[in-house]
Amino acid sequence: MNPDRVFRWLMLVFLVVAIAGLANDFFPELFPAIVLGHPMIEAIGSIVTAGAAIIAAWAAMNGLSTWKKERDADFAKALAAEMYRYRQSLHAIRLPFLTPTDLEFFEAGKEPQQVDRMVRRYRWRRSREVLNDVNALLAEAELRWPSDIASAFEPVKKIERELANDVTRYGVLESRYGALCDKQRAGQNSDEKWTKEFDKDAKERCELEGKLNDSFNDDDAFRICIDAAFVPMNTLLRTKI
């Protein structure tokens, strides 16, 4: 039943009762069955008083519930916005090109030669900064919805750990490959040793490079996995808004 409709009907009933009581006080000749001093007057007064108290209590409880829902909705919107930022930051790790922010960071650090080797780790660190903002809101979300928030966020934590491991491992392989190239240019490796060392990591490095580079196709597997990890949180927050 709609609470607002119930409230309006109760108000109408008690308004009629109150008007009847007042009419009896000022115009007793219009109500021959209810004269001044009749027990019905006291009954009407008691009903009006009790009804007013009930309505006031009900309105207070309903108002408190409405206020809490509004607060939850505002909080859910704020958390949803941070979750969107975090999801985008994970996607940004896989961009197959350098962004202006990437270039600005490395140029400021005067390490442009390390861009190819370091950019994904740098992007991952940026995503962790966004995650810190998300975690601050999650701490409050656990107090609001303790039975829901942990399970909804778990897929996001899982995909973040997988991505972190891949970025770290790829960085190691890239550094190893760079060192191998430096030795080759310096003439410190024979062709046989070069081939052996290159072949040792080539397959894994190629697989990780494919996984960590967004193909921008609709069927990009890892992008789909990232988006899917955020679905439980989006579903939960949708019920709170």
Side-chain angles (χ1 to χ4, degrees):
M1 184 178 294
N2 190 321
D4 291 335
R5 183 174 298 178
V6 173
F7 180 75
R8 287 195 295 268
W9 276 106
L10 287 174
M11 287 295 294
L12 178 61
V13 169
F14 287 111
L15 181 62
V16 170
V17 173
I19 291 174
L22 290 173
N24 183 78
D25 286 340
F26 290 99
F27 307 101
E29 66 279 1
L30 298 179
F31 297 88
I34 307 175
V35 295
L36 193 60
H38 193 280
M40 184 63 72
I41 298 298
E42 297 181 2
I44 291 175
S46 298
I47 292 173
V48 171
T49 302
I54 293 172
I55 290 176
W58 183 86
M61 291 296 294
N62 189 57
L64 182 62
S65 177
T66 301
W67 175 79
K68 184 179 183 302
K69 289 180 179 178
E70 291 175 351
R71 287 289 302 274
D72 279 354
D74 291 341
F75 176 77
K77 291 176 183 177
L79 179 53
E82 289 301 317
M83 292 298 298
Y84 177 81
R85 283 184 61 224
Y86 183 49
R87 177 160 57 93
Q88 294 303 105
S89 74
L90 295 183
H91 284 311
I93 294 174
R94 302 181 66 240
L95 292 176
F97 52 81
L98 296 176
T99 68
T101 305
D102 297 332
L103 294 174
E104 180 181 346
F105 172 80
F106 286 103
E107 287 173 358
K110 302 184 184 305
E111 298 177 344
Q113 73 278 7
Q114 294 191 32
V115 169
D116 291 337
R117 302 179 189 177
M118 300 290 293
V119 65
R120 287 181 180 81
R121 278 185 281 182
Y122 162 63
R123 290 171 176 175
W124 180 76
R125 288 199 298 270
R126 280 193 300 177
S127 78
R128 296 291 297 183
E129 294 174 2
V130 181
L131 180 59
N132 289 337
D133 295 334
V134 172
N135 283 332
L137 293 176
L138 286 177
E140 182 176 346
E142 288 183 355
L143 299 178
R144 291 176 181 266
W145 317 304
S147 62
D148 301 323
I149 198 68
S151 58
F153 192 69
E154 183 59 33
V156 178
K157 292 171 60 177
K158 183 178 179 181
I159 203 70
E160 190 274 339
R161 287 193 295 267
E162 180 179 351
L163 188 55
N165 289 335
D166 290 342
V167 168
T168 301
R169 179 58 181 168
Y170 186 72
V172 170
L173 296 178
E174 279 285 279
S175 296
R176 190 181 298 171
Y177 175 69
L180 182 63
C181 290
D182 292 340
K183 288 184 178 181
Q184 182 69 9
R185 284 192 291 269
Q188 298 176 6
N189 281 340
S190 64
D191 291 343
E192 181 181 355
K193 186 174 182 180
W194 158 268
T195 302
K196 181 180 178 180
E197 292 295 323
F198 179 84
D199 290 346
K200 182 172 64 176
D201 295 334
K203 182 179 179 181
E204 184 181 5
R205 189 162 60 87
C206 183
E207 289 176 350
L208 284 174
E209 185 174 8
K211 184 177 181 180
L212 291 174
N213 280 338
D214 196 322
S215 66
F216 291 101
N217 295 325
D218 292 339
D219 58 350
D220 185 280
F222 201 55
R223 174 153 38 85
I224 292 173
C225 288
I226 292 175
D227 287 338
F230 284 78
V231 169
M233 277 295 296
N234 292 340
T235 301
L236 172 63
L237 295 176
R238 192 176 295 114
T239 66
K240 307 298 182 182
I241 294 177

